Amino acid sequence: MSRRRLTLMVAGVLTLVLGGAGALLPVPYVALSPGPTENTLGDVKGKPVITVSGHQTYPTTGKLSLVTVAYQGGPEARIDLLTALRGWMDPTVAVVPEETIFPKAVSVKEVEQQNTQEMSSSQQDATAAALTELKIPIKVYVAVASTQKGKPADGKLLPNDEITEVDGAAVRTVDEVAAGVRKHKAGEQVRFTIVRGGKPMTVEVGTISGPSGSIVGVIMGSQFKFPFTVNVNVGDVGGPSAGLMFSLGIYDKLTPGPLTGGRSIAGTGTITPDGQVGPIGGIQQKLVGARDAGATVFLTPADNCDDAVQAVPKGLRLVKVSTMHEAVQAVDALRTGSGQVASCPAR
């Protein structure tokens, strides 16, 4: 064998080896793909997704399914270049920079904890939205979520404390509490009336200067007291995007007759306690997951319509919704065949 031929063979082998090794190198991207769907009217691992105690419920049929996005990759388990390339070639997969899902300043554990917290909050908001749609009264109050370490409230206000008054004035919202604190100059004391473990008490907390006035270093959130108990069980699903479908599932169980009329309906969207539907991410993957699960109708947040119409699979009808009320009306119209149903406009 000539020296030239041997050199070419060695170079070819090295190129293949280096190319193969390069394809297996980890890259800072995350592959998003269609995740599982869960019927909010059904069960997860043998347990109902939605259970209601203390109020009459009614039989349901059909499906009101939430949809999810699965991801592969992340700082602790990066995908390789070959996997990323396969994802870029697959229209049902989105390959996005790692920082889109895992910001550099936040750990993977913190991201997972945030997703869990958002899911828990969305379940509360969904219950509030469903009961508001049904005109069932609920009580809203301000609760302590946490305090900032080293700030005046640290150790004085505790998680789950219900704040009822600031300096003797009744408060019902987070903004009202913050406004009461800002009335003080830095260094002054604020008198909080709270309920802790069912017992009312008064706690005085000092103030310090903050970006927009005086603060005490407390993180608060709105909480609800419902007249009966609603529990939601979804296993390992996280994030806030299932809010709309939780609301519809709760609404269906609390009203006579099946809302869907036996149809398989999927959807997505965040929900506020007063029933406003917000946009979500991963709409393309969620549409594919919904169709693969047999859904024929997809409830789409109005702000996601533009992206949805470009990725909707054949056989899936997009119904545009902006509020819980619109969603109920749309599903009702689909069941009865009466009334107009808003669709995402074609581009």
Side-chain angles (χ1 to χ4, degrees), residues 1-247:
M1 182 181 296
S2 69
R3 179 176 295 179
R4 181 182 180 187
R5 180 176 294 180
L6 180 60
T7 301
L8 290 172
M9 287 180 62
V10 171
V13 170
L14 287 174
T15 299
L16 289 173
V17 170
L18 292 174
L24 298 176
L25 288 175
V27 291
Y29 288 89
V30 174
L32 306 178
S33 59
T37 65
E38 298 291 354
N39 178 19
T40 62
L41 304 177
D43 297 343
V44 171
K45 296 180 180 179
K47 295 182 179 180
V49 173
I50 296 170
T51 55
V52 178
S53 303
H55 193 280
Q56 183 175 1
T57 58
Y58 301 89
T60 61
T61 60
K63 292 182 178 181
L64 288 168
S65 297
L66 63 89
V67 286
T68 64
V69 175
Y71 76 86
Q72 185 179 4
E76 296 179 357
R78 283 181 168 167
I79 59 175
D80 55 44
L81 180 59
L82 185 59
T83 300
L85 290 172
R86 282 200 298 261
W88 275 314
M89 297 172 64
D90 187 339
T92 69
V93 176
V95 179
V96 300
E98 190 174 81
E99 292 180 28
T100 305
I101 311 298
F102 301 97
K104 282 188 175 180
V106 182
S107 69
V108 173
K109 185 177 181 180
E110 288 172 330
V111 170
E112 292 173 347
Q113 288 174 337
Q114 180 180 346
N115 286 338
T116 300
Q117 178 59 45
E118 287 178 341
M119 170 57 77
S120 177
S121 296
S122 76
Q123 293 169 7
Q124 291 289 302
D125 291 346
T127 302
L131 269 57
T132 298
E133 179 68 18
L134 290 165
K135 295 181 172 52
I136 297 174
I138 59 177
K139 180 183 177 182
V140 184
Y141 65 95
V142 180
V144 174
S146 62
T147 56
Q148 296 173 311
K149 190 172 182 180
K151 298 293 193 298
D154 186 16
K156 291 190 173 183
L157 294 175
L158 303 179
N160 300 317
D161 282 349
E162 177 185 345
I163 301 175
T164 59
E165 296 179 357
V166 175
D167 295 324
V171 291
R172 295 182 65 251
T173 68
V174 171
D175 288 342
E176 288 176 349
V177 176
V181 172
R182 284 196 296 267
K183 289 180 180 179
H184 290 266
K185 295 179 181 179
E188 293 181 346
Q189 297 286 309
V190 183
R191 189 174 75 257
F192 292 94
T193 302
I194 64 172
V195 177
R196 179 182 296 167
K199 297 180 179 180
M201 61 180 66
T202 300
V203 178
E204 291 197 350
V205 182
T207 57
I208 58 174
S209 294
S212 303
S214 295
I215 63 171
V216 297
V218 62
I219 299 172
M220 302 168 289
S222 294
Q223 297 291 330
F224 308 96
K225 287 184 178 178
F226 302 119
F228 50 88
T229 302
V230 178
N231 287 319
V232 179
N233 161 51
V234 286
D236 297 329
V237 177
S241 64
L244 171 62
M245 301 313 292
F246 287 146
S247 292

